[in-house]
Amino acid sequence: MLVRGAVLTVALLGLVAFSVLLAKVTLTPSPASEDLVTSNLRPGRSLRQYAEDYTFLAACKQAGGNLLLGVPFGLLLPFFVPRRLRMIRTTLLTALAMVVVELIQGALVEGRAFDIDDVILNTAGALLGYFVLGRRISHRYYTYTDDKDSPGPEAEKPAAEPRRTPKPAGRTKDSETKAALTKDSRTKGSTATAATKAGRTEAGQRVRPKSATATPAKKRGSRAGKPDGPASGGRNTAGSGAVRGLLGRLRGR
């Protein structure tokens, strides 16, 4: 704000000083030229007269003087007009100010007359000053002041909101999808485990009958190698009866 105020103060003082100089140059009476000066409402008439009737130095003095009178407008007015349509606003303000000056000359000042060509030359001088230097200076001024006035990054941060306790809301779509995938994987795993167990059970059932059939064969083999109990017992009883018969016969003799 301090820099902005200083720049505006300097520009205002320069504009006031230029206005005083402009008034002294344009509003000073000139009784000697009262019979020579006439009002001009046709654009280009005075310029043609400068080229035809005046010498080169006199024509340059007249046209160049009017151009230079408009240059300060192009340098100082951009500081006081909005940035939007700055060039057009500067041109219109310069033309309006010079029209007022020319009207005062023609109506109140002795030896002065209204000349539309002077207004055109003054406005052209304002545009020249604006394009040569006024535009750059005003652009840097507005850029600098906008950067200073804009809030910094810390000011742009919003205030921290109070933390809210999370509500036991329903599951989101992502959590539901993950839960469904987990259930599917568990179901597939349990199915694979059940299939593995079933395969093992079937394999065990297929192996067990073979061992069951092999066991009677071994028992039969063992029984075939050894005489059965009842058969061996019958043979022993027959032998003992024959021995007893032989003993009885020997006793009878």
Side-chain angles (χ1 to χ4, degrees), residues 88-112:
I88 298 176
R89 294 174 187 270
T90 301
T91 304
L92 292 177
L93 287 175
T94 303
L96 180 62
M98 297 315 298
V99 166
V100 172
V101 170
E102 291 293 329
L103 288 175
I104 294 174
Q105 280 184 349
L108 302 177
V109 181
E110 184 181 2
R112 303 284 183 174

Side-chain angles (χ1 to χ4, degrees), residues 70-234:
V71 170
F73 285 108
L75 297 177
L76 299 175
L77 285 180
F79 291 96
F80 300 98
V81 297
R83 297 181 64 181
R84 186 179 180 182
L85 303 176
R86 187 186 305 162
M87 183 189 70
I88 298 176
R89 294 174 187 270
T90 301
T91 304
L92 292 177
L93 287 175
T94 303
L96 180 62
M98 297 315 298
V99 166
V100 172
V101 170
E102 291 293 329
L103 288 175
I104 294 174
Q105 280 184 349
L108 302 177
V109 181
E110 184 181 2
R112 303 284 183 174
F114 179 86
D115 194 343
I116 192 63
D117 286 338
D118 291 346
V119 177
I120 295 173
L121 289 173
N122 296 144
T123 305
L127 288 175
L128 181 63
Y130 175 79
F131 282 113
V132 171
L133 193 59
R135 180 178 59 178
R136 297 178 183 178
I137 298 175
S138 60
H139 178 71
R140 291 181 181 179
Y141 163 73
Y142 280 111
T143 302
Y144 180 79
T145 54
D146 289 344
D147 293 340
K148 289 294 183 181
D149 294 340
S150 61
E154 297 180 356
E156 293 179 358
K157 292 182 180 179
E161 296 181 357
R163 295 183 179 179
R164 298 179 181 178
T165 55
K167 296 181 180 180
R171 298 179 180 178
T172 59
K173 293 183 179 180
D174 295 337
S175 60
E176 291 179 357
T177 305
K178 291 180 180 179
L181 293 174
T182 306
K183 288 182 180 180
D184 294 339
S185 60
R186 289 179 181 176
T187 305
K188 291 180 181 180
S190 60
T191 305
T193 304
T196 305
K197 290 181 178 180
R200 291 177 181 176
T201 304
E202 291 179 358
Q205 290 179 357
R206 291 177 182 175
V207 173
R208 285 177 184 176
K210 292 180 181 180
S211 61
T213 53
T215 303
K218 292 181 181 180
K219 290 181 179 180
R220 288 176 185 176
S222 62
R223 289 177 182 178
K226 295 180 181 182
D228 294 338
S232 59

